[in-house]
């Protein structure tokens, strides 16, 4: 499958790679696959997922809980040194892995216009067909490719809940896509964002990614890379929002991999954000004017006439600066008989679109988020996303409850 996971940049002297988790649709499929997004997080037995978060006071500065400070100290991690560059140390002993150890202190101006523009490739590890087990569940025929269409500008009018996610991993700066979702604890004032698990956590062989920042309506006017370089203020029309809490599935943390599609049926995550510079006191939802409800009923493909996937594809032939989307009727993709069946649509978006929301009509007929981009083939032509059921709802509720006060 093509990568949809985070991408590390190699533009203008920086490394670049794209990523997306992938899986074969049937035994007869002989194609190279690669992850398209990165996920992270874990949960308890009740919620089937676990979260951790730092309280964010009105001034927007992230505070580290005392118990987490102690655990960081045990690992030899000093927050002042971290902010001054020690976060670049990816030594295994310092790469925080457990759900409760998520920490993401704001480093002001770290994500300047040049760094955001250059971070365009998600880390990608192609997967050979023999690395994928045969399809033991129900998989529909491979869909015909659907050409990704450019979203009309300004993005905050056409797709106000969509945006771009930036973060750092061992291979450099990476990118994914993400969506503002409603917060049941704060109606109309949500600071919650939905993305792929592999966009926040490296899975079984790693830990939490660092310096996670969400930029709603990134490059709102759809400018070219050259135009953005000439007018960098156009990149983040609604500011930078740092993750101060995150949660993903236990399944992703235990099984997730940047290759082979492992953990993909549970490749989802929720982050809570706070503005980098304190903001005006308005929530993310109030700032962008939108937040989508999430449908956790995991509707059958036969009940979905069309789903629209939105994201910022960055692997060729795309450059990662503009928003695209695909609309198609979903089919089924089964990776393992004992794992939930995934949705699959025809789409030519590439790595960087990982984590982007899949939207369909909800039970009330209004748009609702039903999935997110997780995996796809190396040769772009289709995307697959997890169905959202009890595990996903546990993660969502966990983050909401963490920040309910």
């Amino acid at each position: 499958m093509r990568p949809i996971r985070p991408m590390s940049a190699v533009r203008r002297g920086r490394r670049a790679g794209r990523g997306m988790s992938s899986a074969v649709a049937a035994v007869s499929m002989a194609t190279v696959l690669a992850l398209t997004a990165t996920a992270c997080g874990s949960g308890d037995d009740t919620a089937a997922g676990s979260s951790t978060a730092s309280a964010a006071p009105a001034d927007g500065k992230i505070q580290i809980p005392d118990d987490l400070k102690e655990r960081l100290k045990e690992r030899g991690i000093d927050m002042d040194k971290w902010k001054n560059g020690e976060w670049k140390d990816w030594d295994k002993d310092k790469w925080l892995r457990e759900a409760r150890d998520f920490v993401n202190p704001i480093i002001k101006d770290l994500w300047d216009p040049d760094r955001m523009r250059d971070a365009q490739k998600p880390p990608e590890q192609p997967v050979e067909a023999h690395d994928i087990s045969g399809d033991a569940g129900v998989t529909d025929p491979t869909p015909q490719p659907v050409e990704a269409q450019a979203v009309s500008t300004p993005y905050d009018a056409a797709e106000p809940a969509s945006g771009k996610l930036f973060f750092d991993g061992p291979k450099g700066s990476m990118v994914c896509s993400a969506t503002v979702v409603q917060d049941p604890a704060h109606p109309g004032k949500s600071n919650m964002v939905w993305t792929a698990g592999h966009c926040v956590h490296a899975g079984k062989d790693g830990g939490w990614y660092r310096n996670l920042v969400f930029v709603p309506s990134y490059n709102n006017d759809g400018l070219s890379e050259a135009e953005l370089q000439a007018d960098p203020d156009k990149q983040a029309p609604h500011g930078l929002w740092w993750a101060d809490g995150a949660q993903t599935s236990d399944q992703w943390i235990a099984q997730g991999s940047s290759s082979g599609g492992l953990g993909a049926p549970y490749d989802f995550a929720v982050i809570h954000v706070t503005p980098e510079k304190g903001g005006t006191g308005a929530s993310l939802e109030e700032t962008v004017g939108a937040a989508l409800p999430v449908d956790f009923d995991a509707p059958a493909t036969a009940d979905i006439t069309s789903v629209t996937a939105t994201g910022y594809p960055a692997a060729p032939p795309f450059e990662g600066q503009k928003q695209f989307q695909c609309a198609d009727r979903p089919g089924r993709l089964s990776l393992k008989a004992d794992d939930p069946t995934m949705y699959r649509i025809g789409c030519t978006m590439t790595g960087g679109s990982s984590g982007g929301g899949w939207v369909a009509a909800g039970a009330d007929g209004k748009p609702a988020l039903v999935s997110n981009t997780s995996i796809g083939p190396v040769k772009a032509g289709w995307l697959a996303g997890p169905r959202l059921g009890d595990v996903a709802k546990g993660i969502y509720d966990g983050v909401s409850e963490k920040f309910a006060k």
Side-chain angles (χ1 to χ4, degrees):
M1 306 180 84
R2 140 183 111 245
I4 302 238
R5 293 190 179 271
M7 308 176 65
S8 73
V10 175
R11 304 165 79 93
R12 287 187 293 278
R14 295 189 182 182
R15 275 175 298 174
R18 71 178 184 189
M20 187 192 305
S21 64
S22 32
V24 177
V27 180
S28 60
M29 181 180 291
T31 183
V32 177
L33 307 182
L35 283 175
T36 64
T38 34
C40 98
S42 120
D44 56 29
D45 294 337
T46 302
S50 174
S51 71
T52 184
S54 306
D59 62 5
K61 294 181 179 179
I62 295 175
Q63 310 240 329
I64 310 300
D66 290 340
D67 61 336
L68 179 52
K69 285 182 179 178
E70 287 302 313
R71 293 197 298 275
L72 294 176
K73 186 177 180 180
E74 291 172 2
R75 296 285 195 94
I77 297 175
D78 180 288
M79 279 294 97
D80 290 330
K81 292 181 179 179
W82 177 289
K83 290 183 178 182
N84 289 325
E86 193 172 87
W87 64 264
K88 298 176 184 178
D89 182 357
W90 293 94
D91 180 271
K92 188 175 181 179
D93 290 336
K94 291 188 177 183
W95 193 1
L96 304 177
R97 169 175 173 75
E98 302 303 320
R100 63 176 185 163
D101 290 340
F102 174 80
V103 62
N104 194 54
I106 291 175
I107 302 177
K108 189 176 178 180
D109 298 325
L110 173 68
W111 290 104
D112 60 27
D114 287 342
R115 196 165 191 262
M116 284 194 291
R117 193 177 59 253
D118 288 350
Q120 296 307 325
K121 304 295 179 183
E124 160 190 350
Q125 296 181 22
V127 182
E128 301 294 340
H130 62 259
D131 291 329
I132 311 284
S133 60
D135 175 23
V138 179
T139 290
D140 293 320
T142 302
Q144 291 297 311
V146 172
E147 289 295 326
Q149 301 297 310
V151 173
S152 59
T153 57
Y155 298 149
D156 60 6
E159 296 291 342
S162 297
K164 192 168 179 177
L165 191 66
F166 296 85
F167 51 99
D168 285 303
K171 296 182 180 180
S173 301
M174 298 182 281
V175 293
C176 274
S177 301
T179 307
V180 184
V181 294
Q182 295 178 357
D183 180 356
H186 299 285
K189 297 183 178 182
S190 175
N191 284 309
M192 289 170 56
V193 176
W194 192 282
T195 189
H198 72 250
C199 294
V200 298
H201 194 285
K204 65 178 183 177
D205 295 323
W208 294 99
Y209 289 118
R210 300 169 182 171
N211 305 322
L212 275 74
V213 165
F214 175 65
V215 181
S217 298
Y218 173 81
N219 186 18
N220 195 38
D221 296 325
L223 302 179
S224 68
E225 188 169 346
E227 290 172 325
L228 274 182
Q229 190 168 6
D231 193 357
D233 291 340
K234 297 284 188 179
Q235 283 178 289
H238 301 296
L240 278 63
W241 296 72
W242 282 71
D244 58 356
Q247 182 171 352
T248 187
S249 67
D250 286 337
Q251 291 88 339
W252 175 259
I253 288 181
Q255 307 168 17
S257 173
S258 61
S259 62
L262 298 175
Y266 297 95
D267 186 15
F268 37 71
V270 177
I271 62 178
H272 187 276
V273 298
T274 189
E276 176 176 290
K277 299 182 178 179
T280 62
S283 66
L284 175 60
E285 180 177 359
E286 292 171 304
T287 300
V288 304
L292 290 175
V294 184
D295 187 346
F296 294 106
D297 289 336
T301 55
D303 296 330
I304 305 177
T305 57
S306 179
V307 65
T308 299
T310 302
Y312 285 84
F318 304 96
E319 295 183 344
Q321 307 299 338
K322 300 180 181 181
Q323 201 175 110
F324 286 82
Q325 57 188 193
C326 295
D328 194 16
R329 182 161 193 159
R332 296 165 293 182
L333 174 64
S334 176
L335 307 182
K336 293 174 60 179
D338 55 352
D339 278 345
T341 299
M342 301 178 72
Y343 296 126
R344 182 167 62 160
I345 61 172
C347 186
T348 60
M349 284 199 292
T350 59
S353 61
S354 285
W358 289 28
V359 179
D364 59 0
K366 297 179 180 179
L369 188 141
V370 298
S371 186
N372 58 263
T373 298
S374 174
I375 60 177
V378 169
K379 184 176 181 181
W382 56 266
L383 300 177
R387 297 176 69 178
L388 307 181
D390 291 343
V391 175
K393 189 175 189 306
I395 290 171
Y396 174 82
D397 289 344
V399 174
S400 177
E401 291 166 6
K402 183 74 176 182
F403 291 88
K405 296 180 180 180

